[in-house]
Amino acid sequence: MSGRSGTRITDSPDFDRAYKNGMAYRGKLFSVHAFGNELGRPRLGLSVSKKVGNAIVRNRVRRRLREVFHASLHELPGSLDFVVSARPASSDSSVEDLKAEFRNALDRFSKKR
């Protein structure tokens, strides 16, 4: 797979596996579930419900979360799937706020491993 498409989780069973069996971080802006994969590369799955806002707001949140993930790729373990579920507070957050919260999640996961 080329480009960023190889870093996205799109299949429901992959989301379910992360929710049921993965490590969880629950923050103010979003929650993150992380679960190992056998692909040798980190992947991102996003869940942004209508509680976050209208379609324009939800798409902005998705773009920002993808940006945070791709900016953090060099810090991520190579074989984890990350499922991020946005909370309504994420709609008013800056990219810097989202990055700080994602770093908190990574720190928590590194302590659990």
Side-chain angles (χ1 to χ4, degrees):
M1 293 186 163
S2 63
R4 291 183 174 185
S5 64
T7 61
R8 289 192 184 170
I9 300 171
T10 56
D11 295 333
S12 187
D14 292 334
F15 278 86
D16 292 341
R17 192 172 19 259
Y19 285 133
K20 291 178 184 169
N21 304 319
M23 299 176 285
Y25 166 85
R26 290 173 180 83
K28 182 180 117 187
L29 304 177
F30 51 78
S31 63
V32 181
H33 289 79
F35 188 72
N37 68 40
E38 296 177 5
L39 302 173
R41 66 179 183 273
R43 296 188 305 166
L44 174 68
L46 296 174
S47 174
V48 184
S49 75
K50 289 185 179 181
K51 291 178 184 178
V52 173
N54 63 27
I56 294 168
V57 172
R58 292 192 311 270
N59 286 329
R60 182 181 337 123
V61 169
R62 282 187 199 99
R63 280 192 305 272
R64 288 178 176 177
L65 288 171
R66 278 190 216 108
E67 180 181 335
V68 167
F69 177 76
H70 289 289
S72 303
L73 273 176
H74 65 280
E75 301 174 42
L76 301 177
S79 57
L80 282 180
D81 287 342
F82 295 92
V83 175
V84 178
S85 300
R87 299 192 190 288
S90 65
S91 64
D92 298 326
S93 301
S94 68
V95 173
E96 291 76 25
D97 293 338
L98 295 170
K99 282 182 184 178
E101 181 121 357
F102 194 68
R103 267 190 238 107
N104 289 340
L106 293 178
D107 290 345
R108 178 91 44 91
F109 293 145
S110 67
K111 289 177 184 173
K112 286 185 179 181
R113 289 186 104 190

